[in-house]
Amino acid sequence: MSVTVVGSIAFDAVKTPWGRRDRLLGGSAVHFSLSASFLADVRVVGPVGDDFGEAEYDVLRARGVNVDDVEHVAGGKTFFWSGEYEYDLNTRHTHDTQLNVFADWKPKLSRASRAADVVFLANIQPDLQREVREQCADARVVGLDSMNLWIETAHDSLVRTIEGVDLLVVNDAELRQLTQKPNLVQAAREVMGWGPTAVVVKQGEYGASLYTPERFFSLPAYPLETVVDPTGAGDSFAGGLLAYVAAHPDEGLGDELLRRAMAYGTALASFNVEEFGTERVQRLSGDEVRERVAELHAITNWVDLPVEQRA
Amino acid sequence: MSVTVVGSIAFDAVKTPWGRRDRLLGGSAVHFSLSASFLADVRVVGPVGDDFGEAEYDVLRARGVNVDDVEHVAGGKTFFWSGEYEYDLNTRHTHDTQLNVFADWKPKLSRASRAADVVFLANIQPDLQREVREQCADARVVGLDSMNLWIETAHDSLVRTIEGVDLLVVNDAELRQLTQKPNLVQAAREVMGWGPTAVVVKQGEYGASLYTPERFFSLPAYPLETVVDPTGAGDSFAGGLLAYVAAHPDEGLGDELLRRAMAYGTALASFNVEEFGTERVQRLSGDEVRERVAELHAITNWVDLPVEQRA
């Protein structure tokens, strides 16, 4: 019933057409944790520097996230990312990335973190992801995200790491790049040949798709009139997805479970982008999540009625 | 129970990563008609030249499409388009467009075509679309497609034409460009403020979305391992959509009807892209369409189960 996530804990400077923030709590493990906290017990693993204070810890603690494995690197600075979104929010420009304490960090998981039922390897260097996966040998379900940087610079290591996980969660461009197959059906099949039971493809404003050996499923994004800051949407999605899996330990990692899990991921991601950074999710309620999942069901459901056809 | 479509009848030269064809029967009205013919009586209106022979007429007649209003322009040549798709099939390059008989054509609909229950104004110059719309004053439902060329060169005329139709069917980039709103929810609401009851947004490999005043719906594309030729997919989609509406004269143009209509459009479009031009749809059966709609239902349906949530 618990999830451990290993990934970045960061400060972000974000500029969008709707404003800017110079110092937001961010990072893949943070967005994942806050989202996952609505459905499961969460432990977050990652390094921070001296600039990461009680105010930041409190955001995580307020949602019940266990921060015992957040590693304080004395004298260090927290990972920093700065970027800007264009008018249509689909195009993102990175202005600055400072690895800081992340540069030499090696994940060391406590016994409690290693014992999690579900583990998510957020987007970090694939050798490190594999070390974490080996430390969590007994996990029932292990998920993994990655990015173009690792596909380009550490392709073989990444493939080896993917061979050892159950669920790949990447965006469509990454899946194409990873497999060199432009068709997503073929690309997902290739990945499942490496080991994973399922592939979830994130498609931003278009939603997400699920590939399992026998079936396919697709779910649109929740339609919003205003998207303020897309940063962390994919991590929030993964948080809801994996935490829903953790909350259902008696169900196998099959199509039926993952469809519902994607709905929770989609709902949580939609809240994440409504305001800057973690602002919206910090004051989100479980009732709001449930309501949005129900709305998502209403906007994706349709009845197949028999129809008279010619020929 | 009948549909009239006014649009281009063409010869296409198409190159894709899977091969090339130098002379394919094509054009928006042709793809629309063949697709619509599975669900309703269809009449096709558009000009052709001397090079359009019995073989081409027979493709339409074989599917029961009424070609009485196909106008033969003596001494003229049929509209010709030549283009090429890149490896991922999302990017299309037009090499050549020869308007030929289309250059000076004015639509003149027979009494029978004007009496259709449903009329589709495929992508032609908006002044011409408005003339057709005025000739079909009694139509129960009028749909319209357009393209970036007309948005750029005849924006005001296009808006005026859209004011007089019930259903706008365009792709997402066109909707954004038309309304100058990057957010599709806002863009669709703007269009509904002009007159239409509903907006259907085509999103290529990502499927299609439906906007009505009170509701939203999204349907993924049917996942195919191999897409051979995307030409005409949007027109086939519109053909299935509008013909389904025509086949249900007792239902208002509301969310429930349009959701099912989109499923038929999606299924028909998926067959269209499996082979070059009209090759696949020419030997398609009603049973295959029904089966694919059922499959589409299976891959978009999910059950919203109650879940224990914290906070």
Side-chain angles (χ1 to χ4, degrees):
Chain A
M1 295 289 285
S2 71
V3 184
T4 291
V5 57
V6 182
S8 62
I9 301 170
F11 287 115
D12 291 341
V14 175
K15 189 175 169 198
T16 85
W18 285 269
R20 61 184 298 158
R21 295 287 189 281
D22 292 331
R23 191 175 188 268
L24 288 164
L25 177 60
S28 57
V30 167
H31 287 292
F32 181 101
S33 297
L34 294 176
S35 171
S37 72
F38 286 87
L39 297 158
D41 292 329
V42 184
R43 302 184 68 97
V44 57
V45 181
V48 298
D50 292 341
D51 50 349
F52 197 86
E54 286 307 308
E56 286 76 31
Y57 279 111
D58 282 347
V59 171
L60 293 161
R61 288 187 194 119
R63 289 269 351 127
V65 175
N66 184 301
V67 296
D68 292 352
D69 278 10
V70 172
E71 188 179 338
H72 174 221
V73 180
K77 270 187 72 183
T78 300
F79 181 95
F80 175 78
W81 177 81
S82 157
E84 179 172 353
Y85 293 86
E86 284 187 13
Y87 189 53
D88 73 358
L89 295 171
N90 287 325
T91 311
R92 175 163 97 171
H93 303 283
T94 291
H95 292 319
D96 194 10
T97 305
Q98 300 172 13
L99 288 178
N100 299 332
V101 294
F102 232 88
D104 301 309
W105 181 70
K106 298 281 179 205
K108 293 169 288 292
L109 276 64
S110 65
R111 183 184 299 258
S113 286
R114 278 185 270 128
D117 186 44
V118 171
V119 173
F120 190 65
L121 310 171
N123 166 34
I124 58 175
Q125 208 281 339
D127 295 333
L128 298 186
Q129 290 180 314
R130 208 161 56 249
E131 283 183 36
V132 174
R133 205 277 167 259
E134 285 160 7
Q135 291 179 40
C136 304
D138 296 333
R140 179 171 63 90
V141 173
V142 179
L144 177 144
D145 188 10
S146 192
M147 73 184 292
N148 54 355
L149 174 66
W150 311 125
I151 297 170
E152 287 156 21
T153 63
H155 186 272
D156 293 352
S157 170
L158 177 57
V159 170
R160 202 136 51 91
T161 307
I162 292 171
E163 286 170 1
V165 306
D166 305 290
L167 186 64
L168 180 68
V169 185
V170 289
N171 72 38
D172 46 4
E174 289 159 356
L175 181 61
R176 291 190 165 107
Q177 191 184 9
L178 175 67
T179 60
Q180 294 288 306
K181 290 185 187 295
N183 181 282
L184 294 176
V185 181
Q186 293 179 11
R189 178 166 301 164
E190 168 93 9
V191 168
M192 288 187 277
W194 299 345
T197 303
V199 177
V200 174
V201 182
K202 299 179 284 183
Q203 298 172 315
E205 64 165 331
Y206 298 110
S209 297
L210 166 67
Y211 297 84
T212 50
E214 302 299 330
R215 297 190 76 184
F216 169 83
F217 174 64
S218 181
L219 191 68
Y222 181 83
L224 291 169
E225 286 223 32
T226 308
V227 175
V228 169
D229 174 13
T231 313
D235 302 306
S236 298
F237 171 81
L241 179 80
L242 274 293
Y244 190 94
V245 170
H248 295 80
D250 300 331
E251 287 191 65
L253 191 69
D255 177 87
E256 290 295 327
L257 174 66
L258 288 170
R259 288 182 179 209
R260 280 147 40 212
M262 284 170 65
Y264 278 83
T266 297
L268 283 154
S270 74
F271 285 112
N272 178 288
V273 304
E274 284 183 355
E275 297 179 22
F276 279 98
T278 61
E279 288 168 4
R280 179 69 182 92
V281 176
Q282 280 180 237
R283 55 180 174 72
L284 185 62
S285 75
D287 282 343
E288 287 175 307
V289 176
R290 264 187 294 270
E291 268 169 43
R292 190 153 289 183
V293 170
E295 284 178 67
L296 193 62
H297 189 260
I299 64 176
T300 56
N301 192 41
W302 56 285
V303 181
D304 180 17
L305 292 184
V307 61
E308 280 299 312
Q309 284 179 99
R310 291 99 202 279
Chain B
M1 296 289 286
S2 71
V3 184
T4 292
V5 57
V6 182
S8 62
I9 299 170
F11 288 114
D12 292 340
V14 176
K15 188 174 169 197
T16 84
W18 285 269
R20 63 183 298 159
R21 294 286 189 283
D22 292 330
R23 190 174 189 268
L24 287 164
L25 177 61
S28 58
V30 167
H31 287 292
F32 181 102
S33 296
L34 294 177
S35 171
S37 71
F38 286 86
L39 298 157
D41 292 329
V42 184
R43 301 185 69 96
V44 57
V45 181
V48 298
D50 292 342
D51 50 350
F52 198 87
E54 286 306 307
E56 286 76 32
Y57 279 111
D58 282 347
V59 170
L60 294 161
R61 289 189 194 119
R63 289 272 347 130
V65 175
N66 184 301
V67 295
D68 292 352
D69 278 10
V70 173
E71 189 180 337
H72 173 221
V73 180
K77 270 187 71 181
T78 301
F79 181 95
F80 175 77
W81 177 81
S82 157
E84 178 170 354
Y85 294 85
E86 284 186 13
Y87 189 51
D88 73 358
L89 296 172
N90 288 323
T91 310
R92 175 163 95 171
H93 303 284
T94 290
H95 292 319
D96 193 10
T97 304
Q98 299 172 13
L99 288 179
N100 299 333
V101 293
F102 232 86
D104 300 308
W105 181 70
K106 300 281 177 204
K108 295 169 286 292
L109 275 64
S110 66
R111 183 185 300 259
S113 286
R114 279 185 271 129
D117 186 45
V118 172
V119 173
F120 190 66
L121 311 171
N123 166 33
I124 58 175
Q125 209 280 340
D127 295 333
L128 298 186
Q129 290 179 313
R130 208 162 56 251
E131 284 183 34
V132 175
R133 204 278 168 258
E134 285 160 7
Q135 292 180 40
C136 304
D138 296 334
R140 180 172 63 91
V141 172
V142 179
L144 177 144
D145 188 9
S146 192
M147 72 183 293
N148 54 355
L149 174 67
W150 310 124
I151 298 170
E152 286 155 21
T153 63
H155 186 272
D156 294 352
S157 170
L158 178 57
V159 170
R160 202 137 51 91
T161 307
I162 291 170
E163 286 170 1
V165 306
D166 304 290
L167 186 65
L168 180 68
V169 185
V170 289
N171 73 38
D172 46 4
E174 289 159 355
L175 182 61
R176 290 191 166 105
Q177 189 184 10
L178 175 67
T179 59
Q180 294 288 304
K181 291 184 185 297
N183 181 282
L184 294 176
V185 181
Q186 293 178 11
R189 178 166 302 162
E190 169 93 9
V191 168
M192 287 186 278
W194 299 344
T197 302
V199 177
V200 174
V201 183
K202 299 178 285 182
Q203 299 172 314
E205 64 165 332
Y206 298 110
S209 298
L210 166 67
Y211 297 84
T212 50
E214 302 298 330
R215 298 189 77 184
F216 169 83
F217 175 64
S218 181
L219 191 68
Y222 181 84
L224 291 170
E225 287 223 30
T226 307
V227 175
V228 169
D229 174 14
T231 313
D235 302 305
S236 298
F237 172 82
L241 179 80
L242 273 294
Y244 190 94
V245 170
H248 295 80
D250 299 332
E251 287 191 65
L253 191 67
D255 177 87
E256 291 296 328
L257 174 67
L258 288 169
R259 288 181 178 208
R260 280 148 39 214
M262 284 169 66
Y264 278 84
T266 297
L268 283 154
S270 74
F271 286 112
N272 179 287
V273 304
E274 285 183 355
E275 298 180 21
F276 279 98
T278 60
E279 289 169 4
R280 179 69 180 92
V281 176
Q282 279 180 238
R283 55 182 173 70
L284 185 62
S285 75
D287 281 345
E288 287 175 307
V289 177
R290 263 187 295 270
E291 268 170 43
R292 189 153 289 183
V293 170
E295 284 178 66
L296 193 62
H297 189 261
I299 64 176
T300 57
N301 192 42
W302 57 284
V303 182
D304 180 17
L305 293 184
V307 60
E308 281 297 313
Q309 283 180 96
R310 292 100 204 276

